[in-house]
Amino acid sequence: MQKHFTSILFFCLAILICSCSVGKKGISSKQFRTLIDESTAFNQHNTGFALYDPEKDRMLHGFNSHQYYVPASNTKLFTFYAGLHLLGDSVPGLRYMEQGDSLVFWGTGDPSFLYPDSDNGRVYNFLKEQKKTLYFSDDNDMSVRKGPGWSWDWYGLAFAPEVTPFPINSNVIKFSLSGKGEKPAASPLFFNRYIDEQPSRDYQSTLARALDDNAYYYRRDEDVRAATRYIPFKYSPQMVTGFLEDTLLKPVNYARVPLTGSAKTLMSVPSDSLYKRMLQKSDNMIAEQLLLMYSGIISDTLNSRMAIRYFQDSLLLDFPDEPQWSDGSGLSKYNLFTPRTMIHLLKAIQQMVPEERLFAMLPAGGESGTIKNLYKAEQPYVFAKTGTLSNTTALSGYIKTSTGKTLLFCFFHNNFVGDSASLKRSMEEVLREVRDRY
């Protein structure tokens, strides 16, 4: 009888221990599926999820993790990973060559030149202090101004500026509208010469740019409120030289001079400063220009497609599902990744970058970047890159659990209708469960 009682006691203790380990220190497959199925926010569209434990090298949960999704700005994690392999501590700001009393310079795609809060002035001061006659060349440029799959009507929107060999001021113009029907003021001041009153009612907006020209039209309307608008400018080498002449207060000429191996390189800003702004602010311009810059490092040509092909052939061969990678920022809906491919990417990044440095560059829940108002807690526990396009939202990154573990996760949502607020709340509920039970 005593032996039988002891056996029953051990059996009950075993059940209790197992239930506690699932309830307190993990989520069973059935419990996880219930979390997904009971969320009405996930019901009418395509959802993919993956949760991975790097210590155990084990996928804890997967939900459609093998299916391809449009990742939106999660693509910037691929751009970041490529830079970790290719760039050193700082980025190349300028290529140049002295020829007698002349200095010829080529752009590298470096996005920091006169970029608000990001320029350390090295390139500007180098050109400003130069005693030789300046010649700008874009003979090394084979870039496409807009990424593949970008919408044509984004040409006048600040989140999709052109990709250029010599970026200036984030490739956008800041316009200040007085609210009194007066001519807007441009910053940089150089662009004031391109503003004119609307010649017709063709432009419905208060301020708009012509499709293929640096012509900016405003509507003289007393009812227009005071506002600040940001509009991309149209690249041309003559626009670059004109702007530099106006800014440096010295002649700057244009000449198509081939870039040679004897050209020197002037280094610019710290690489991490660009990575941080790209990841935390989800800056599309920096992402696209970084990708363009990479091509100039692996060759003598600026071409984003060349950079992607290079990384696909060298860095991405062992990924579980072949990434369809099309641009640097994620604006393209041609980008297609699976959740388990994103996990593989996150693991590779984690192995290259110490956690303190990595988490300082990523958005931190309740604290910084694009998730500053989400995942609030006494201590940040979600460090992740967001992604947003029409009918698309994504979140991939790292989660610190209640036991001190760091887990990797990816959430993809495609083809939903309406805003993403309910989706984000449901994602937060799932990730909070993960934090508390692992």
Side-chain angles (χ1 to χ4, degrees), residues 189-332:
L189 296 176
F190 170 78
F191 291 100
N192 276 321
R193 68 193 68 187
Y194 297 117
I195 308 173
D196 202 354
E197 191 171 354
Q198 289 186 15
S200 68
R201 303 300 296 181
D202 293 343
Y203 299 95
Q204 300 300 314
S205 176
T206 306
L207 179 66
R209 197 197 89 189
L211 179 60
D212 292 314
D213 193 13
N214 280 316
Y216 301 84
Y217 299 108
Y218 71 98
R219 188 170 70 241
R220 190 178 293 277
D221 190 339
E222 294 290 342
D223 295 330
V224 173
R225 296 181 180 180
T228 300
R229 293 279 305 281
Y230 296 87
I231 300 178
F233 56 74
K234 183 74 178 173
Y235 170 81
S236 72
Q238 292 76 22
M239 187 279 296
V240 171
T241 55
F243 174 86
L244 290 176
E245 282 191 343
D246 188 75
T247 305
L248 300 172
L249 302 179
K250 63 168 66 178
V252 181
N253 306 285
Y254 174 63
R256 288 192 64 86
V257 180
L259 177 63
T260 67
S262 60
K264 298 178 182 178
T265 301
L266 176 69
M267 302 308 287
S268 180
V269 299
S271 305
D272 278 10
S273 68
L274 295 181
Y275 296 148
K276 182 175 182 178
R277 191 172 185 95
M278 173 182 70
L279 295 172
Q280 288 203 4
K281 304 297 184 184
S282 203
D283 192 307
N284 296 323
M285 180 265 187
I286 288 180
E288 294 299 337
Q289 294 296 154
L290 279 174
L291 189 62
L292 188 69
M293 184 191 301
Y294 300 160
S295 67
I297 294 173
I298 61 178
S299 73
D300 59 358
T301 302
L302 299 179
N303 182 278
S304 298
R305 281 305 312 166
M306 180 187 299
I308 289 176
R309 285 195 300 269
Y310 172 83
F311 293 123
Q312 284 176 324
D313 293 340
S314 59
L315 298 181
L316 311 182
L317 294 177
D318 63 340
F319 277 51
D321 306 295
E322 183 180 358
Q324 182 169 300
W325 184 10
S326 295
D327 69 1
S329 63
L331 286 175
S332 175

Side-chain angles (χ1 to χ4, degrees), residues 12 16 32 34 45 61 75 89-90 102 105 115 118 157 173 193 197 199 205 207 230 240 295 303 369 383 409:
C12 292
L16 180 62
F32 174 76
T34 300
H45 65 271
H61 294 290
T75 305
D89 294 337
S90 58
S102 302
F105 64 95
Y115 192 115
S118 295
L157 301 179
I173 308 168
R193 68 193 68 187
E197 191 171 354
S205 176
L207 179 66
Y230 296 87
V240 171
S295 67
N303 182 278
F383 302 87
F409 74 92

Side-chain angles (χ1 to χ4, degrees), residues 174-178 182-187 207 227-229:
K174 176 183 176 181
F175 291 96
S176 298
L177 287 77
S178 67
E182 300 171 351
K183 181 179 178 179
S187 177
L207 179 66
T228 300
R229 293 279 305 281

